[in-house]
Amino acid sequence: MNTSEIRPPIDLAFADAPRRVVSFAGLLHRATGDVESYDGAVTVLQGLGVGRLAVQSAQRMLDAIVESPIPEAEWEPMAAILGDELALLVGVSPSSMARYRNGSRATPDVVAERLHVLTQIVADLAGSYNDYGIRRWFRRTRTALGGRAPSDILAGEWNADGPDVRAVRDLAEALIAGMGV
């Protein structure tokens, strides 16, 4: 009997959970230093109030990240990478973005959700691209997106749970899973 017939297929999303957790924490923590290990990532994220009870499982920590927007920690690293384009991608004016970034105004939930999705996408891209490459990734048309660029889909008012947004997220996740795009 062929053993590949009785072994369940590897769930790539689960297998890559530790890498995605480290990448996400590293993106948020880049101003003060690199996060090189899963334990270091957990420390950073727990310091931000995410995944306090999820330490025993990388998948649980990743689930906690996905469900926990933290705009106060996400604005700066995202603005450093995406610059003025960030305001367009989250659907706000540059002046509103500046107020959200400096804390003089609370980030509305819908904007925090968009920012969080973008942060997850950029964290997945960060393992393959530098900042310039990340900005280009958003502007390049993709066959998997019907000839559109990710920035075409993620512009203005978009729903984080929409199928087009899911397609963009899948493209970024494929890079960290080593499947390439």
Side-chain angles (χ1 to χ4, degrees):
M1 174 181 273
N2 185 344
T3 57
S4 66
E5 293 173 13
I6 58 172
R7 249 188 275 163
I10 295 173
D11 180 349
L12 291 178
F14 176 77
D16 290 314
R19 255 188 301 188
R20 293 188 68 212
V21 168
V22 170
S23 181
F24 187 84
L27 176 66
L28 298 184
H29 196 59
R30 73 189 277 184
T32 57
D34 291 331
V35 174
E36 297 179 11
S37 70
Y38 178 74
D39 291 338
V42 168
T43 300
V44 167
L45 292 166
Q46 288 180 335
L48 294 169
V50 177
R52 288 183 293 269
L53 303 176
V55 185
Q56 59 277 59
S57 162
Q59 186 61 49
R60 284 188 189 154
M61 180 58 87
L62 186 57
D63 293 343
I65 289 169
V66 169
E67 297 300 324
S68 303
I70 38 178
E72 62 277 1
E74 295 172 344
W75 279 117
E76 289 309 313
M78 292 300 292
I81 293 169
L82 297 174
D84 294 337
E85 193 170 352
L86 179 58
L88 297 171
L89 292 172
V90 296
V92 300
S93 69
S95 60
S96 289
M97 184 176 85
R99 286 189 290 275
Y100 303 146
R101 282 178 64 193
N102 70 26
S104 65
R105 200 150 145 223
T107 304
D109 288 348
V110 68
V111 175
E113 183 177 31
R114 290 183 195 134
L115 175 64
H116 190 59
V117 168
L118 288 168
T119 304
Q120 291 171 69
I121 291 169
V122 169
D124 286 344
L125 298 174
S128 299
Y129 297 107
N130 62 16
D131 292 358
Y132 176 76
I134 290 170
R135 288 188 297 274
R136 286 199 58 208
W137 185 90
F138 279 96
R139 294 183 207 120
R140 288 184 56 213
T141 58
R142 306 282 171 173
T143 304
L145 300 176
R148 295 174 294 168
S151 62
D152 296 335
I153 293 168
L154 303 173
E157 296 184 15
W158 47 271
N159 180 338
D161 296 321
D164 288 343
V165 174
R166 181 72 256 168
V168 171
R169 294 172 80 171
D170 289 346
L171 285 174
E173 289 172 16
L175 287 172
I176 205 156
M179 297 185 313
V181 177

